[in-house]
């Protein structure tokens, strides 16, 4: 259902309020209303609040059921005892109780206000007395709307409905106060710009610019989670641009603004920052099953090694030799600092390292051995590497773009042919470790690994040659190493 328009955003008409109540009645789960009646019978308030109300008015599907109440966490626990199928208290120190009723998961948070000490990474929580007071401490007006339960009375003291209509992000009070209470809200503004396509109000942008350094008191884990949501949003360019323009990126992802390299009349080259955003968008366009965080991070970071490797050659030519190697190390460092899981760090940095490998392909001059190595080095990342490599072509020269496309089409066709013939993804030497030990008469140890690597290189270079020929090559290699295999093997 579209957001009802209003002659005055702060004062919806009676007809609009009726439409909103009917809409909320359709999307609010019956269990939430049942819980509302339970709280009301005990003399307490309960309301659906924040994102679920916003998304209902925007017609966006939502799974979260976020509730707020005047009851303390201890009182909440008493009220849901015997009603909820499961209860968890992992967030109770921040006033939140989680519970499950059937297939529905709910979170109930006591009215509160929270703020950060200038030297603290954790909020100080104090409980509030009213729903309006609770809404006043929310991040943005579009998230400061509520529906009282069980009657579905719409509560919007800060004009969030009008902001939805205008597609604008404002804070309920002064943005400086809001961001001082929780600096992560500055990143959340960028994330909502990317997710919802909203414009951030000028006074909010100004406060983000003035207070960007405040983000450094927020934990790396919280920053990581917000950044991931932004990157996986439908329009990440909008959010990333806001982070860079306000100076926030210098504190959370400093490699990104550094891509804005100077371009003058003597040293012309691509705008690496703009190129990066285009590569990200072109990678997103190739996604098949929803947002791929690893692919998007790799697209965003694939050229971060360029500022460190830029060199000016005679004639005004600019080079970035080995920027993929330097960039891979930088990506590993940044993602580790942001506390990304080890597998994400490894996969993204590997894609950054490999993203230029294709450009040695030329006009199909690679041998089958080189193609096998390309597949072997990419491993489980091959499909993502295909997408990143194709996305990395941002040239406006149609002839060059078409040549690159044909070349990569040819490479993929060769990979498919070799895969069908040789099961490339499962390439192994034709002799396993036990056979190597038996043929050479050696025990487990480093020498077995060296022999295995020799046979793997042989397999990549020559394809399948059969166990007999592989054994002969192994014995030849062993002789070169000064080994004397058992008589039965020679």
């Amino acid at each position: 259902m579209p957001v009802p328009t209003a002659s005055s955003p702060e004062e919806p008409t009676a007809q609009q309020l009726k439409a909103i109540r009917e809409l909320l009645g359709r999307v609010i789960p019956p269990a939430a209303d049942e819980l509302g009646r339970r709280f009301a019978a005990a003399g307490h308030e309960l309301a659906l609040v924040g994102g679920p109300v916003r998304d209902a008015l925007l017609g966006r599907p939502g799974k979260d059921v976020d509730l707020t109440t005047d009851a303390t966490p201890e009182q909440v626990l008493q009220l849901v005892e015997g009603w909820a199928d499961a209860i968890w208290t992992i967030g109770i120190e921040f006033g939140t109780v989680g519970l499950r009723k059937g297939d529905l998961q709910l979170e109930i948070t006591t009215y509160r206000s929270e703020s950060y000490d200038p030297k603290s990474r954790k909020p100080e929580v104090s409980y509030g007395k009213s729903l309006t007071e609770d809404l006043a401490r929310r991040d943005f007006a579009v998230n400061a709307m509520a529906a009282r339960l069980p009657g579905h009375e719409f509560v919007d003291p800060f004009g969030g409905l009008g902001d939805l209509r205008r597609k604008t992000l404002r804070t309920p009070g002064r943005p400086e106060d809001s961001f001082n209470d929780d600096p992560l809200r500055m990143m959340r503004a960028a994330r909502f710009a990317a997710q919802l396509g909203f414009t951030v109000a000028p006074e909010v942008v100004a406060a983000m610019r003035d207070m960007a350094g405040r983000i450094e008191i927020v934990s790396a884990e919280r920053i990581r989670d917000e950044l991931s949501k932004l990157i996986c949003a439908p329009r990440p360019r909008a959010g990333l641009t806001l982070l860079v323009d306000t100076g926030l990126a210098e504190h959370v992802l400093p490699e990104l603004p550094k891509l804005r390299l100077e371009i003058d009349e003597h040293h012309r080259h691509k705008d690496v920052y703009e190129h990066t955003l285009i590569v990200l968008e072109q990678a997103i366009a190739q996604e098949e099953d929803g947002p791929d965080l690893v692919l998007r991070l790799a697209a965003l970071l694939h050229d971060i090694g360029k500022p460190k490797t830029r060199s000016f050659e005679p004639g005004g030519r600019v080079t970035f030799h080995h920027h993929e190697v330097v960039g891979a190390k930088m990506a590993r460092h940044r993602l580790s600092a942001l506390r990304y899981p080890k597998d994400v760090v490894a996969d993204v940095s590997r894609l950054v390292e490999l993203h230029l490998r294709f450009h040695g392909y030329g006009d199909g001059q690679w041998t089958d051995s080189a193609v096998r190595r390309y597949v072997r080095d990419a491993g489980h990342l091959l499909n993502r590497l295909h997408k990143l490599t194709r996305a990395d072509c941002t040239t406006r020269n149609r002839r060059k773009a078409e040549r690159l496309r044909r070349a990569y089409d040819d490479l993929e066709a060769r990979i498919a042919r070799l895969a069908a013939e040789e099961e490339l993804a499962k390439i192994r030497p034709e002799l396993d470790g036990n056979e190597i030990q038996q043929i050479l008469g050696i025990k487990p140890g480093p020498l077995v690994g060296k022999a295995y690597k020799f046979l793997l290189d042989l397999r990549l270079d020559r394809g399948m040659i059969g166990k007999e020929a592989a054994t002969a090559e192994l014995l030849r290699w062993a002789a070169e190493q000064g080994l004397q295999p058992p008589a039965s093997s020679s």
Side-chain angles (χ1 to χ4, degrees):
M1 173 179 176
V3 176
T5 58
S7 55
S8 172
E10 290 75 23
E11 297 291 340
T13 66
Q15 184 177 3
Q16 290 166 347
L17 287 174
K18 180 181 178 182
I20 291 171
R21 182 172 293 189
E22 291 176 353
L23 170 63
L24 294 171
R26 292 196 296 271
V27 300
I28 293 176
D33 277 333
E34 183 181 338
L35 193 58
R37 288 189 288 271
R38 192 179 184 93
F39 272 64
H44 289 292
E45 299 177 350
L46 189 68
L48 183 72
V49 68
V53 177
R54 177 201 69 217
D55 289 343
L57 294 173
L58 287 174
R60 299 173 76 233
K63 297 180 180 179
D64 295 337
V65 181
D66 296 331
L67 305 171
T68 188
T69 181
D70 62 339
T72 65
E74 292 74 19
Q75 291 171 325
V76 171
L77 289 173
Q78 293 175 1
L79 285 167
V80 300
E81 183 69 33
W83 180 82
D85 297 326
I87 300 171
W88 53 93
T89 59
I90 190 171
I92 199 166
E93 65 175 310
F94 300 113
T96 299
V97 174
L99 55 98
R100 178 175 57 81
K101 179 70 171 179
D103 294 331
L104 185 67
Q105 290 192 1
L106 312 94
E107 284 194 349
I108 306 174
T109 302
T110 303
Y111 295 157
R112 68 189 188 191
S113 60
E114 62 185 28
S115 62
Y116 278 76
D117 181 272
K119 298 181 180 179
S120 173
R121 288 179 178 268
K122 293 185 178 181
E124 297 177 356
V125 177
S126 59
Y127 297 135
K129 300 295 184 183
S130 71
L131 178 57
T132 299
E133 180 183 350
D134 181 80
L135 295 177
R137 57 151 291 276
R138 301 274 162 172
D139 51 6
F140 301 104
V142 295
N143 294 330
M145 299 179 289
R148 294 187 185 275
L149 301 178
H152 305 162
E153 175 193 350
F154 181 58
V155 182
D156 180 24
F158 302 103
L161 185 66
D163 285 354
L164 285 186
R165 178 172 57 84
R166 292 185 294 269
K167 295 186 176 181
T168 300
L169 282 178
R170 292 182 306 106
T171 52
R174 288 186 351 116
E176 292 83 1
D177 295 335
S178 180
F179 297 155
N180 194 57
D181 285 346
D182 184 355
L184 190 68
R185 290 173 177 174
M186 294 185 286
M187 286 197 64
R188 208 169 287 153
R191 189 245 293 182
F192 284 132
Q195 278 187 337
L196 303 176
F198 281 18
T199 299
V200 181
E203 68 274 15
V204 177
V205 174
M208 292 170 66
R209 186 174 292 114
D210 292 342
M211 302 178 66
R214 185 94 167 105
I215 195 69
E216 293 192 0
I217 72 164
V218 180
S219 70
E221 290 82 1
R222 295 184 73 211
I223 290 174
R224 173 203 63 206
D225 291 346
E226 231 15 91
L227 183 63
S228 294
K229 291 175 183 177
L230 188 162
I231 291 172
C232 289
R235 308 167 191 83
R237 173 192 277 262
L240 292 168
T241 299
L242 186 58
L243 290 183
V244 171
D245 289 347
T246 58
L248 273 164
E250 294 179 12
H251 301 277
V252 301
L253 195 65
E255 295 79 6
L256 185 59
K258 286 181 180 178
L259 293 177
R260 285 181 160 175
L261 301 176
E262 292 180 4
I263 305 175
D264 60 38
E265 67 273 18
H266 301 296
H267 301 116
R268 294 187 178 277
H269 57 82
K270 285 183 180 179
D271 179 344
V272 183
Y273 173 73
E274 177 63 21
H275 164 76
T276 293
L277 295 179
I278 294 173
V279 171
L280 174 59
E281 291 174 330
Q282 292 185 166
I284 292 171
Q286 299 178 70
E287 290 176 337
E288 300 161 331
D289 301 309
D292 182 340
L293 178 63
V294 168
L295 176 63
R296 294 190 183 200
L297 283 171
L300 186 63
L301 302 178
H302 78 285
D303 272 348
I304 60 172
K306 280 191 170 181
K308 282 191 174 183
T309 58
R310 182 170 63 161
S311 177
F312 299 122
E313 304 292 335
R317 183 167 172 262
V318 182
T319 62
F320 305 96
H321 292 308
H322 306 301
H323 76 268
E324 73 281 10
V325 177
V326 173
K329 293 179 180 177
M330 293 172 64
R332 189 176 298 110
H333 172 77
R334 177 56 51 202
L335 296 178
S336 297
L338 288 169
R339 304 291 193 271
Y340 274 97
K342 290 182 179 180
D343 59 334
V344 173
V345 175
D347 286 352
V348 173
S349 58
R350 185 62 169 157
L351 285 169
V352 172
E353 183 180 3
L354 293 175
H355 83 273
L356 281 186
R357 183 73 65 84
F358 159 71
H359 292 282
Y361 187 70
D363 296 319
Q365 299 168 354
W366 277 3
T367 62
D368 283 353
S369 171
V371 175
R372 292 187 193 100
R373 290 180 183 279
Y374 185 79
V375 174
R376 173 76 182 186
D377 289 346
H380 69 283
L381 297 170
L382 181 62
N383 190 42
R384 285 178 171 135
L385 183 58
H386 287 333
K387 294 174 182 176
L388 178 60
T389 301
R390 289 185 182 277
D392 195 26
C393 176
T394 62
T395 178
R396 295 181 181 179
N397 184 321
R398 292 186 178 180
R399 184 175 297 179
K400 181 179 179 181
E402 179 61 20
R403 178 176 60 81
L404 289 171
R405 185 192 64 78
R406 286 198 306 268
Y408 208 83
D409 285 348
D410 179 68
L411 175 58
E412 285 203 62
R414 289 183 66 187
I415 289 172
R417 175 179 60 80
L418 288 172
E421 295 173 357
E422 306 179 20
E423 294 187 67
L424 281 184
K426 300 178 181 178
I427 285 182
R428 299 289 186 275
E430 292 181 77
L431 301 173
D432 61 25
N434 290 329
E435 290 170 315
I436 291 171
Q437 293 174 57
Q438 182 178 359
I439 293 168
L440 298 183
I442 58 177
K443 296 180 179 180
L447 190 58
V448 177
K450 290 181 180 179
Y452 187 93
K453 183 179 184 303
F454 164 76
L455 290 172
L456 177 58
D457 288 340
L458 182 71
R459 172 76 172 80
L460 290 169
D461 288 338
R462 295 172 54 182
M464 297 283 285
I465 61 175
K467 285 199 172 187
E468 183 176 348
T471 298
E473 290 293 336
L474 176 62
L475 291 171
R476 180 184 61 76
W477 173 85
E480 292 174 355
Q481 305 300 311
L483 298 177
Q484 183 64 44
S488 58
S489 298
S490 54

